[in-house]
Amino acid sequence: MSETKFDAVVIGGGFFGCSIAAYLKPHFGSVLLVDREDQLFRHASYGNQARIHGGYHYPRSLHTAYRSRVNFQSFVRDFPEAVVSSFTKLYPIARNQSKVTARQFERFCRIIGAPCKPARPEHVKLFNPRLIEAVYEVTEYAFNSDILRDTMRRKLEEANVEVSLNSAVERVQRHGSAWRIFLAGGAEVETNYIFNCTYAGLKHIPGLEPHCRTILKHEIAEMALIEPPDEIRDLGITVMCGSFFSTMPFPPRSLHTLSHVRYTPHTSWIDSGLDSPDPYEVMKAYPKETKAWHMLKDAQRYLPALARARVVDSLFEVKTLLVRNEIDDGRPILMERSESAGTVYSILGGKIDNIYDVIHRLQADGL
Ligand SMILES: Cc1cc2nc3c(=O)[nH]c(=O)nc-3n(C[C@H](O)[C@H](O)[C@H](O)COP(=O)(O)OP(=O)(O)OC[C@H]3O[C@@H](n4cnc5c(N)ncnc54)[C@H](O)[C@@H]3O)c2cc1C
């Protein structure tokens, strides 16, 4: 590390930490980005479903749906190299136990201004008509997280942000009117501004945990990686709305993810800060026994072609959610600012395109 004093330190080298560090650099003389891993994007920013949300997934949270509409356009404009649009996205509506009907889904799409039309006959016939009421073709894409990471690495270089990997923040302590940050390996840095973008780790840095008061819930989430049969290779499919499944292209591995509302979350717990287990430690110790077969078995009742899918692997990652959105499944951002010695921001994006909401909030704070 070139210095021991920085105007701002961003903790967490996922998409949010990288984007925020690059955004902040013109506002601060020196910005340091630290991550505990040996590479950027080692956690949620890689191990996710890769969907650039267009709002369709959120009929129970109009706010999230509207924001997704706006942010989708911005993300596609700003990261064209990472956007994968070479597939057709379908939203089938389940006949039983769905929280929306086909009519309600159509109406919802009209309200949020999201393009949605009846799927083509060759796509409709892929689904079991006894279980699926209607199938819609929509405009929604995927992103390639490897390419997104390369883009962010370049932006950080261009912005002249110093990046320190293998640098877990072990604790933070007041130091006069500033903060002293203690890193793994014994290094220490001082700063007036801390941006805590550690997602699952938000409440697990001693000294910073009182600054994030929002109640968080973590899940150990499994997404199976499958080799899809030819009929669905060029499709992304999300069955609405409830305990169903989703399968999407996963560009970094040229496979599809398969997730299922019932089987993807293996276990979950409420985070009460340092008294709760560290999510990264929980993940490390977790046996990671796959439930891919359960996902496939249930999903093929709706989409029989999945009987010919081949399970290749699984991604396990901690998924962190705001407890207050459990009912409506909304994905607003969390941004808490507190002044103590210096200023601390605790930031959780919820989904990739929410970066624009975070930047608006920082702008509103004069940054
Ligand atoms: C299973 C799953 C599916 C998802 N699907 C989608 C989807 O389809 N579309 C979508 O938009 N969003 C999706 N999301 C959400 C999306 O992945 C996250 O909102 C986003 O990646 C969060 O980015 P981040 O930078 O905040 O977190 P991360 O990428 O997790 O970055 C946090 C970083 O902090 C570092 N860190 C933690 N503690 C410390 C410490 N003490 N010191 C130093 N560094 C530390 C970690 O190493 C990590 O690199 C999904 C998430 C999951 C888990």
Side-chain angles (χ1 to χ4, degrees):
M1 216 170 308
S2 63
E3 304 285 337
T4 55
K5 281 191 181 172
F6 291 86
D7 295 323
V9 173
V10 178
I11 311 174
F15 181 62
F16 280 83
C18 293
S19 306
I20 290 165
Y23 169 78
L24 289 174
K25 183 62 176 56
H27 300 267
F28 292 95
S30 54
V31 175
L32 172 69
L33 172 72
V34 293
D35 198 284
R36 59 193 279 158
E37 303 291 352
D38 60 357
Q39 246 199 62
L40 302 173
F41 278 49
R42 272 278 188 219
H43 287 284
S45 296
Y46 177 80
N48 66 68
Q49 210 187 14
R51 181 174 359 174
I52 311 170
H53 279 278
Y56 303 95
H57 195 94
Y58 300 105
R60 291 179 286 138
S61 174
L62 270 185
H63 174 77
T64 297
Y66 273 124
R67 291 309 311 159
S68 302
R69 294 298 315 142
V70 175
N71 293 339
F72 174 85
Q73 315 288 346
S74 307
F75 189 93
V76 169
R77 179 197 64 214
D78 293 346
F79 299 97
E81 66 287 359
V83 173
V84 177
S85 56
S86 54
F87 66 97
T88 301
K89 186 69 206 274
L90 302 176
Y91 275 74
I93 313 295
R95 272 192 200 284
N96 306 315
Q97 292 171 338
S98 170
K99 293 176 180 134
V100 290
T101 63
R103 278 185 66 167
Q104 287 167 337
F105 186 74
E106 279 182 28
R107 187 163 166 268
F108 158 71
C109 289
R110 273 198 304 278
I111 291 173
I112 63 166
C116 164
K117 59 183 183 190
R120 295 168 232 170
E122 70 264 32
H123 291 152
V124 174
K125 75 173 195 232
L126 291 171
F127 296 91
N128 178 349
R130 282 187 300 109
L131 298 181
I132 294 294
E133 182 191 352
V135 185
Y136 296 99
E137 181 176 325
V138 306
T139 306
E140 207 168 52
Y141 305 143
F143 61 91
N144 184 324
S145 49
D146 279 347
I147 295 179
L148 194 58
R149 183 195 54 225
D150 292 346
T151 297
M152 294 319 302
R153 205 186 277 140
R154 201 185 61 245
K155 283 184 189 256
L156 290 167
E157 262 170 39
E158 283 166 6
N160 218 2
V161 169
E162 181 150 351
V163 177
S164 183
L165 299 171
N166 295 310
S167 295
V169 173
E170 292 186 331
R171 71 190 165 93
V172 167
Q173 195 176 288
R174 279 189 195 151
H175 181 67
S177 61
W179 294 109
R180 179 165 284 175
I181 299 177
F182 297 83
L183 300 171
E188 294 175 20
V189 291
E190 259 177 52
T191 188
N192 285 319
Y193 278 85
I194 295 178
F195 294 83
N196 182 358
C197 305
T198 54
Y199 190 68
L202 263 182
K203 287 174 179 271
H204 289 272
I205 299 179
L208 283 188
E209 82 288 354
H211 299 279
C212 179
R213 289 174 299 277
T214 304
I215 304 174
L216 303 178
K217 178 183 166 186
H218 305 293
E219 293 174 356
I220 300 285
E222 177 187 6
M223 282 180 313
L225 289 175
I226 58 169
E227 175 85 55
D230 285 346
E231 307 92 294
I232 61 173
R233 198 174 299 283
D234 295 326
L235 299 177
I237 296 161
T238 299
V239 178
M240 295 295 280
C241 167
S243 197
F244 307 114
F245 73 94
S246 187
T247 183
M248 290 273 299
F250 186 67
R253 306 240 336 236
S254 302
L255 294 166
H256 271 42
T257 52
L258 174 65
S259 62
H260 193 295
V261 171
R262 201 177 312 137
Y263 302 112
T264 285
H266 279 224
T267 180
S268 66
W269 70 100
I270 302 289
D271 190 342
S272 23
L274 296 177
D275 295 335
S276 300
D278 179 329
Y280 294 103
E281 296 303 320
V282 176
M283 174 58 103
K284 217 189 285 170
Y286 192 72
K288 302 184 185 67
E289 280 160 17
T290 181
K291 294 189 181 175
W293 294 109
H294 297 283
M295 297 187 206
L296 257 187
K297 209 158 171 43
D298 189 61
Q300 65 190 245
R301 296 195 299 128
Y302 298 84
L303 180 58
L306 276 176
R308 278 172 283 106
R310 189 171 68 87
V311 177
V312 176
D313 199 356
S314 276
L315 298 172
F316 284 86
E317 193 48 76
V318 181
K319 187 169 193 171
T320 300
L321 304 158
L322 309 188
V323 168
R324 63 173 179 251
N325 292 107
E326 278 209 289
I327 305 280
D328 67 3
D329 206 27
R331 291 284 182 279
I333 61 165
L334 176 168
M335 184 185 293
E336 289 186 45
R337 172 194 162 126
S338 65
E339 308 282 346
S340 178
T343 304
V344 176
Y345 281 90
S346 305
I347 297 172
L348 186 135
K351 56 190 179 63
I352 290 285
D353 58 283
N354 281 357
I355 188 60
Y356 298 98
D357 293 345
V358 170
I359 300 294
H360 285 156
R361 289 278 295 280
L362 291 173
Q363 285 167 341
D365 270 16
L367 292 173

Coordinates of all heavy atoms in Angstrom, one line a residue, residues 11-17 34-37 43-45 47-51 53 167-169 197-199 205 221 223 280 317-319 350-352, ligand 1:
I11 N -14.8 -0.6 1.8 CA -14.5 -2.0 2.2 C -15.5 -2.9 1.3 O -16.7 -2.7 1.4 CB -14.8 -2.2 3.7 CG1 -14.1 -1.1 4.5 CG2 -14.3 -3.6 4.1 CD1 -14.4 -1.2 6.0
G12 N -14.9 -3.8 0.6 CA -15.7 -4.7 -0.2 C -15.5 -4.5 -1.7 O -15.8 -3.4 -2.2
G13 N -14.9 -5.5 -2.4 CA -14.6 -5.4 -3.8 C -15.6 -6.1 -4.7 O -15.2 -6.8 -5.6
G14 N -16.9 -6.1 -4.3 CA -17.9 -6.6 -5.2 C -18.3 -5.5 -6.2 O -17.7 -4.4 -6.2
F15 N -19.4 -5.7 -6.9 CA -19.8 -4.6 -7.9 C -20.1 -3.3 -7.2 O -19.8 -2.2 -7.7 CB -21.1 -5.1 -8.6 CG -21.6 -4.1 -9.7 CD1 -20.8 -3.8 -10.7 CD2 -22.8 -3.5 -9.5 CE1 -21.2 -2.9 -11.7 CE2 -23.3 -2.6 -10.5 CZ -22.5 -2.3 -11.5
F16 N -20.7 -3.4 -6.0 CA -21.1 -2.1 -5.3 C -19.8 -1.4 -4.8 O -19.7 -0.2 -5.0 CB -22.1 -2.4 -4.2 CG -23.5 -2.5 -4.8 CD1 -23.9 -3.7 -5.3 CD2 -24.3 -1.4 -4.9 CE1 -25.2 -3.8 -5.9 CE2 -25.6 -1.5 -5.5 CZ -26.0 -2.7 -6.0
G17 N -18.9 -2.1 -4.1 CA -17.7 -1.4 -3.6 C -16.9 -0.8 -4.8 O -16.5 0.3 -4.7
V34 N -10.6 -2.0 -0.3 CA -9.9 -3.2 0.2 C -10.9 -4.4 0.1 O -12.1 -4.2 0.2 CB -9.5 -3.1 1.7 CG1 -8.4 -2.1 1.8 CG2 -10.7 -2.7 2.6
D35 N -10.4 -5.6 -0.1 CA -11.2 -6.8 -0.1 C -10.4 -7.9 0.6 O -9.2 -8.0 0.4 CB -11.6 -7.2 -1.5 CG -12.8 -8.2 -1.4 OD1 -12.6 -9.4 -1.1 OD2 -14.0 -7.7 -1.6
R36 N -11.2 -8.8 1.2 CA -10.5 -9.9 2.0 C -10.0 -10.9 1.0 O -9.1 -11.7 1.4 CB -11.5 -10.5 3.0 CG -12.7 -11.0 2.3 CD -13.8 -11.3 3.3 NE -13.6 -12.6 3.9 CZ -14.1 -13.0 5.1 NH1 -14.9 -12.2 5.8 NH2 -13.9 -14.2 5.6
E37 N -10.5 -11.0 -0.2 CA -10.2 -12.1 -1.1 C -9.0 -11.7 -2.0 O -8.6 -10.5 -2.0 CB -11.4 -12.4 -2.0 CG -12.6 -12.8 -1.2 CD -12.5 -14.2 -0.5 OE1 -11.5 -14.9 -0.7 OE2 -13.4 -14.5 0.3
H43 N -17.6 -12.9 -4.3 CA -18.8 -13.4 -3.6 C -20.0 -13.1 -4.4 O -20.1 -13.5 -5.6 CB -18.7 -12.8 -2.2 CG -17.7 -13.5 -1.4 ND1 -17.9 -14.8 -0.9 CD2 -16.5 -13.2 -1.0 CE1 -16.8 -15.2 -0.2 NE2 -15.9 -14.2 -0.3
A44 N -21.0 -12.4 -3.8 CA -22.3 -12.3 -4.5 C -22.3 -11.7 -5.9 O -23.1 -12.1 -6.7 CB -23.3 -11.5 -3.6
S45 N -21.3 -10.9 -6.2 CA -21.3 -10.3 -7.5 C -20.9 -11.3 -8.6 O -21.0 -11.0 -9.8 CB -20.3 -9.1 -7.5 OG -20.8 -8.1 -6.6
G47 N -21.5 -15.1 -7.8 CA -22.4 -16.2 -7.5 C -23.8 -15.8 -7.5 O -24.5 -16.1 -6.5
N48 N -24.3 -15.2 -8.5 CA -25.8 -14.8 -8.5 C -26.4 -15.3 -9.9 O -25.7 -15.8 -10.7 CB -25.9 -13.3 -8.3 CG -25.3 -12.5 -9.5 OD1 -25.8 -12.5 -10.6 ND2 -24.2 -11.8 -9.2
Q49 N -27.7 -14.9 -10.0 CA -28.4 -15.5 -11.1 C -28.2 -14.7 -12.4 O -28.7 -15.1 -13.5 CB -29.9 -15.6 -10.8 CG -30.5 -16.7 -11.5 CD -32.0 -16.7 -11.4 OE1 -32.6 -15.7 -11.0 NE2 -32.6 -17.8 -11.7
A50 N -27.5 -13.7 -12.4 CA -27.0 -12.9 -13.6 C -28.2 -12.2 -14.3 O -28.0 -11.9 -15.5 CB -26.2 -13.8 -14.5
R51 N -29.3 -12.0 -13.6 CA -30.4 -11.4 -14.3 C -30.3 -9.9 -14.2 O -30.2 -9.4 -13.1 CB -31.7 -11.9 -13.7 CG -32.9 -11.2 -14.4 CD -34.3 -11.8 -14.0 NE -34.2 -12.8 -13.0 CZ -35.3 -13.3 -12.4 NH1 -36.5 -12.9 -12.8 NH2 -35.2 -14.3 -11.5
H53 N -32.5 -7.2 -13.9 CA -34.0 -7.2 -13.6 C -34.7 -6.0 -14.4 O -34.2 -4.9 -14.4 CB -34.3 -7.0 -12.2 CG -34.1 -8.3 -11.4 ND1 -35.2 -9.2 -11.4 CD2 -33.1 -8.8 -10.7 CE1 -34.8 -10.2 -10.6 NE2 -33.5 -10.0 -10.2
S167 N -6.9 -8.3 1.9 CA -6.8 -7.3 3.0 C -8.2 -7.3 3.8 O -8.9 -6.3 3.7 CB -6.5 -5.9 2.4 OG -5.3 -5.8 1.9
A168 N -8.4 -8.3 4.5 CA -9.7 -8.3 5.3 C -9.6 -7.2 6.4 O -8.5 -7.1 7.0 CB -9.8 -9.7 6.0
V169 N -10.6 -6.5 6.5 CA -10.7 -5.5 7.6 C -11.0 -6.3 8.9 O -12.1 -6.9 9.0 CB -11.7 -4.4 7.4 CG1 -11.9 -3.5 8.6 CG2 -11.3 -3.6 6.1
C197 N -19.2 -1.8 2.2 CA -20.0 -2.4 1.1 C -19.7 -3.9 1.1 O -19.4 -4.5 0.1 CB -19.5 -1.9 -0.3 SG -19.6 -0.1 -0.4
T198 N -19.8 -4.5 2.3 CA -19.4 -5.9 2.5 C -20.6 -6.9 2.4 O -20.4 -8.1 2.6 CB -18.6 -6.1 3.8 OG1 -19.5 -5.6 4.8 CG2 -17.3 -5.4 3.8
Y199 N -21.8 -6.4 2.0 CA -22.9 -7.3 1.7 C -23.2 -8.2 2.9 O -23.6 -7.7 4.0 CB -22.7 -8.0 0.4 CG -23.9 -8.7 -0.1 CD1 -25.0 -8.1 -0.6 CD2 -23.9 -10.1 -0.2 CE1 -26.1 -8.8 -1.1 CE2 -25.0 -10.8 -0.8 CZ -26.1 -10.1 -1.2 OH -27.1 -10.9 -1.7
I205 N -17.9 -6.4 11.1 CA -16.6 -5.8 11.3 C -16.6 -5.1 12.7 O -17.3 -4.1 12.8 CB -16.3 -4.8 10.2 CG1 -16.2 -5.6 8.8 CG2 -14.9 -4.1 10.5 CD1 -16.0 -4.7 7.6
A221 N -27.5 -20.0 -0.2 CA -28.3 -20.2 -1.4 C -27.6 -21.1 -2.4 O -26.4 -20.9 -2.6 CB -28.6 -18.9 -2.1
M223 N -27.5 -22.4 -6.3 CA -28.0 -22.3 -7.7 C -27.3 -23.5 -8.4 O -26.1 -23.5 -8.5 CB -27.7 -21.0 -8.4 CG -28.7 -19.9 -7.9 SD -28.4 -18.4 -8.7 CE -26.6 -18.3 -8.4
Y280 N -19.6 -15.5 6.3 CA -18.5 -16.2 5.5 C -18.0 -17.4 6.1 O -17.7 -18.4 5.5 CB -17.4 -15.2 5.3 CG -17.8 -14.0 4.4 CD1 -18.0 -12.7 5.0 CD2 -17.9 -14.1 3.1 CE1 -18.4 -11.6 4.3 CE2 -18.3 -13.0 2.3 CZ -18.5 -11.8 2.9 OH -18.9 -10.7 2.1
E317 N -23.7 -19.5 -2.4 CA -23.4 -18.2 -2.0 C -24.3 -17.7 -0.8 O -25.4 -18.2 -0.7 CB -23.4 -17.2 -3.2 CG -22.8 -15.9 -3.0 CD -21.4 -15.9 -2.4 OE1 -20.4 -16.3 -3.2 OE2 -21.2 -15.7 -1.2
V318 N -23.8 -16.8 0.0 CA -24.7 -16.2 1.0 C -25.5 -15.1 0.3 O -25.0 -14.3 -0.4 CB -23.9 -15.5 2.1 CG1 -24.8 -15.0 3.2 CG2 -22.9 -16.5 2.8
K319 N -26.8 -15.2 0.5 CA -27.7 -14.2 0.0 C -28.2 -13.3 1.2 O -28.7 -13.9 2.1 CB -28.9 -14.8 -0.7 CG -29.8 -13.8 -1.5 CD -30.7 -14.5 -2.4 CE -31.4 -13.5 -3.3 NZ -32.2 -14.2 -4.4
G350 N -28.8 -5.0 -2.9 CA -29.9 -5.9 -3.1 C -30.0 -6.5 -4.5 O -30.2 -7.7 -4.6
K351 N -29.8 -5.8 -5.5 CA -29.6 -6.4 -6.8 C -28.7 -5.4 -7.6 O -28.6 -4.2 -7.3 CB -30.9 -6.7 -7.5 CG -31.8 -5.5 -7.7 CD -33.2 -6.0 -8.1 CE -34.2 -4.9 -8.3 NZ -33.8 -3.9 -9.3
I352 N -28.1 -6.0 -8.7 CA -27.0 -5.3 -9.4 C -27.4 -3.9 -9.9 O -26.7 -2.9 -9.7 CB -26.5 -6.2 -10.5 CG1 -25.8 -7.4 -10.0 CG2 -25.7 -5.4 -11.5 CD1 -24.4 -7.2 -9.4
Ligands
LIG1 C1 -28.0 -16.5 -5.0 C2 -28.1 -15.1 -5.5 C3 -28.8 -14.8 -6.6 C4 -28.9 -13.4 -7.0 N1 -29.4 -13.1 -8.2 C5 -29.4 -11.8 -8.7 C6 -29.8 -11.5 -10.0 O1 -30.2 -12.4 -10.8 N2 -29.8 -10.2 -10.4 C7 -29.3 -9.2 -9.5 O2 -29.3 -8.0 -9.9 N3 -28.9 -9.5 -8.3 C8 -28.9 -10.8 -7.8 N4 -28.4 -11.1 -6.6 C9 -28.0 -10.0 -5.7 C10 -26.6 -9.5 -6.2 O3 -25.7 -10.6 -6.4 C11 -26.1 -8.6 -5.1 O4 -27.0 -7.5 -4.9 C12 -24.7 -7.9 -5.5 O5 -23.8 -8.8 -6.0 C13 -24.1 -7.4 -4.2 O6 -22.9 -6.8 -4.5 P1 -21.9 -6.3 -3.4 O7 -20.8 -5.7 -4.0 O8 -22.7 -5.6 -2.4 O9 -21.6 -7.7 -2.6 P2 -20.4 -8.8 -2.9 O10 -20.1 -9.0 -4.3 O11 -20.6 -9.9 -2.0 O12 -19.1 -8.0 -2.3 C14 -18.8 -7.8 -1.0 C15 -17.3 -7.9 -0.8 O13 -17.0 -7.6 0.5 C16 -15.8 -8.4 0.8 N5 -15.7 -8.4 2.3 C17 -16.6 -8.9 3.2 N6 -16.1 -8.7 4.4 C18 -14.9 -8.0 4.3 C19 -14.0 -7.6 5.3 N7 -14.1 -7.7 6.6 N8 -12.8 -7.0 4.8 C20 -12.6 -6.8 3.5 N9 -13.5 -7.3 2.5 C21 -14.6 -7.8 3.0 C22 -16.1 -9.7 0.2 O14 -15.0 -10.5 0.0 C23 -16.8 -9.3 -1.1 O15 -15.9 -9.3 -2.2 C24 -28.3 -12.4 -6.2 C25 -27.6 -12.8 -5.0 C26 -27.4 -14.1 -4.7 C27 -26.6 -14.4 -3.5

